[in-house]
Amino acid sequence: MPLSTPADPGTPTGGRADSYDLVVVGAGPAGLAGAVAAAERGLSVALLDGDAQLGGQFYRHPAPGLGAAVPEALHHGWAAFDGLRRRWEAGGGSHLPHHHVWTVASERAATPGAGADGASWVVHAVTGPDGDGERPVAVRGRAVLLATGAAERQLPFPGWTLPGVIGAGGAQAMLKSGLVLPGGRVVVAGSGPLLLAVASSLVTAGARVPALVEASGYLGYARRPDVLAAGPGKLVEAAGHVTRLLGHGTRPYPRHAVVRAHGAERVEAVTVARLDDDWRPVPGTERRVPCDAVAVGHGLVPRIELATALGCATRRTVDGAVALVLDSAQRTSVPGLWSAGETAGVGGAPLAMAEGELAGTAIADRLRGAAVARPSARTRSLLRTRARLRAFADVMAAAHRPGDGWPAWLDDATEVCRCEEVTAGRIAEAVEGLGAGDARTVKLLTRAGMGWCQGRVCGPAVACLARRGGHGGGGGGGGRDRRGAEPLNPLPASPERRSPAVPVRLSTLAALQPDPDGD
């Protein structure tokens, strides 16, 4: 039996909140695995996600109405996800789709039914496909598991705002969920293992990928043969992608980058240049590649806005991103709050599932007051899996860590903040002419990061340029040469403790005010 009885999960509420033992934010591999583990151990569980279907970004799949005959064709490891989905559907948990969580608030031990850590939680969300539902929703839980995944890291370059230039993950999402190709001739560029999967999916679906442009190359993996040997499945998967791409005529460009996109109404070609060890373009190596679309991304970064707003401790990952500090049971530094998956560092779906199950099991034990003298055989197996996959993830992150010299791609006219149309030249002026020394001051002087995305796309680039004092010069013309400067982390950490995590209306905030009766 559940430890508490949930209210009707489909009823939007304002001042009142539906109540569960556990509220899971994010229905991707980690969140789904955690929800299943907790539900199968007797907890009442609410699983919230902004999308309509389970699976998150990794297992995004077409809506039933599209009539996809084989929805799993573009996925790796579909059977594992499908098994979790069936277990969840059989377990009686509450799936709350189209719920965009914008903040999480804690209530201390005075609250009846508080968790074992002396706190209960209220998870606030806006509803609807785009978060534009009529009324906000509040869901109460004795514990919260944050499985909010990751977002694409974007490093700007001249022309990246042209129609047809999209994120690599965005191209994959279009294909997986809408069965739509971004173009017929797609250049895939950036850095990280996602590029191989994206390019492979595109050629499988009928697109031509003339170039796979990887800024880092792959020699970094060779430095840890012991870790590679412990993960042969990853190597087999990568080899399959490479074989498929070569068979479709894709040309690989290791240690190269797209340094400019060309076109009038939309992208028509890109300039690809070889990079030095710091990711600066090597003069004289440029070549033009015709295309009608570009799928670009420089890895993934954890989405931890909800956690940092609550004061959770963070750490720097080996590729310069910011992730949560978690203990062996996936607990954050804030009592009653757990996290799993990419929030602890990007590592892929199998790692996320292992961490999610560990978290769900630990939460169930905690809320039931179970004394666990020794981990079960299943838990010990999961701990070994997590250690092995996390080590492999760290090797990947180190191999694809952005170089300090990437700002040399930029010129003064390059838009860094797309929402507010703030250029690299304006940021350089704020730093060098007006004395801005950090991203926050640059934001105040230029509006960089004040747009709809609130800096989630441009934030890392703005922070880097603020510390460098502009951009690195190089191939764009009019740049300011910083080659003699002290090396800087390419993506300085700036986990801002702020709410909301997604855009909300003022009426939503007003609805949080207590009514005169105190309900």
Side-chain angles (χ1 to χ4, degrees):
M1 293 290 292
L3 299 185
S4 63
T5 302
D8 178 7
T11 304
T13 59
R16 300 180 184 277
D18 300 331
S19 184
Y20 299 82
D21 295 321
L22 173 63
V23 179
V24 181
V25 181
L32 183 58
V36 168
E40 291 181 344
R41 286 162 176 79
L43 300 192
S44 60
V45 181
L47 180 58
L48 283 65
D49 196 87
D51 289 332
Q53 302 182 89
L54 300 173
Q57 296 298 322
F58 192 91
Y59 290 112
R60 183 186 288 268
H61 49 285
L66 291 178
V70 190
E72 66 271 23
L74 297 173
H75 294 82
H76 183 79
W78 178 267
F81 160 68
D82 193 48
L84 278 176
R85 181 174 58 177
R86 293 176 185 277
R87 289 166 61 190
W88 168 254
E89 291 170 348
S94 298
H95 175 214
L96 306 183
H98 289 159
H99 279 57
H100 307 263
V101 176
W102 61 271
T103 196
V104 178
S106 65
E107 297 178 334
R108 284 289 124 190
T111 302
D117 291 295
S120 66
W121 302 89
V122 181
V123 177
H124 295 278
V126 288
T127 59
D130 298 311
D132 55 357
E134 292 185 2
R135 288 189 292 171
V137 171
V139 183
R140 178 171 281 116
R142 299 172 64 204
V144 170
L145 171 59
L146 297 177
T148 44
E152 253 187 312
R153 174 191 289 155
Q154 293 294 346
L155 303 182
F157 54 88
W160 77 306
T161 58
L162 280 171
V165 180
I166 64 174
Q172 194 173 50
M174 289 173 62
L175 184 56
K176 287 182 176 181
S177 62
L179 305 179
V180 175
L181 289 169
R185 187 181 176 93
V186 188
V187 170
V188 177
S191 187
L194 178 64
L195 300 186
L196 278 175
V198 170
S200 180
S201 296
L202 290 173
V203 299
T204 299
R208 184 182 176 193
V209 178
L212 175 62
V213 187
E214 166 60 61
S216 292
Y218 300 99
L219 293 180
Y221 289 90
R223 298 189 181 99
R224 291 297 307 274
D226 56 327
V227 175
L228 297 182
K234 294 286 187 181
L235 299 180
V236 171
E237 180 184 350
H241 291 321
V242 171
T243 300
R244 184 174 298 110
L245 290 170
L246 293 177
H248 283 81
T250 298
R251 178 172 178 177
Y253 287 88
R255 298 211 60 81
H256 282 69
V258 168
V259 296
R260 184 177 291 273
H262 309 274
E265 299 298 322
R266 61 174 291 120
V267 65
E268 299 169 0
V270 294
T271 293
V272 175
R274 182 167 179 78
L275 303 180
D276 65 16
D277 290 342
D278 290 325
W279 283 30
R280 293 185 179 90
V282 177
T285 64
E286 301 87 354
R287 66 180 66 204
R288 193 178 177 107
V289 180
C291 61
D292 60 8
V294 181
V296 60
H298 295 83
L300 303 171
V301 292
R303 293 190 59 186
I304 57 175
E305 297 96 338
L306 292 172
T308 54
L310 291 165
C312 293
T314 61
R315 64 181 180 88
R316 180 70 64 83
T317 63
V318 296
D319 64 344
V322 183
L324 297 180
V325 173
L326 304 175
D327 70 6
S328 60
Q330 302 294 135
R331 284 181 296 228
T332 72
S333 61
V334 175
L337 190 67
W338 280 256
S339 189
E342 314 289 51
T343 54
V346 175
L351 174 58
M353 289 180 180
E355 291 186 343
E357 185 175 344
L358 284 169
T361 302
I363 293 168
D365 290 341
R366 184 73 171 174
L367 295 187
R368 293 184 305 175
V372 181
R374 186 170 184 268
S376 66
R378 175 60 179 172
T379 296
R380 294 197 301 273
S381 174
L382 289 170
L383 290 171
R384 290 191 297 269
T385 298
R386 181 180 65 183
R388 174 173 54 82
L389 295 178
R390 181 58 66 192
F392 192 92
D394 287 344
V395 170
M396 289 194 300
H400 297 284
R401 183 181 187 273
D404 290 342
W406 72 264
W409 308 345
L410 309 180
D411 58 28
D412 282 340
T414 305
E415 287 186 1
V416 177
C417 173
R418 301 167 66 117
C419 298
E420 296 293 323
E421 300 181 339
V422 179
T423 64
R426 286 180 59 193
I427 294 173
E429 180 183 359
V431 174
E432 299 179 352
L434 301 176
D438 55 50
R440 179 175 177 80
T441 307
V442 168
K443 178 179 179 179
L444 293 173
L445 293 172
T446 68
R447 295 189 59 83
M450 287 190 179
W452 184 255
C453 84
Q454 289 291 286
R456 292 172 182 85
V457 174
C458 68
V462 171
C464 178
L465 294 177
R467 295 186 65 194
R468 295 183 67 91
H471 52 83
R480 297 159 177 79
D481 193 354
R482 293 286 180 274
R483 297 187 184 221
E486 178 184 354
L488 295 169
N489 189 292
L491 298 168
S494 57
E496 299 189 35
R497 295 180 58 178
R498 66 181 183 188
S499 184
V502 299
V504 295
R505 297 176 178 176
L506 291 176
S507 59
T508 298
L509 300 178
L512 296 178
Q513 300 299 322
D515 63 39
D517 297 328
D519 292 337

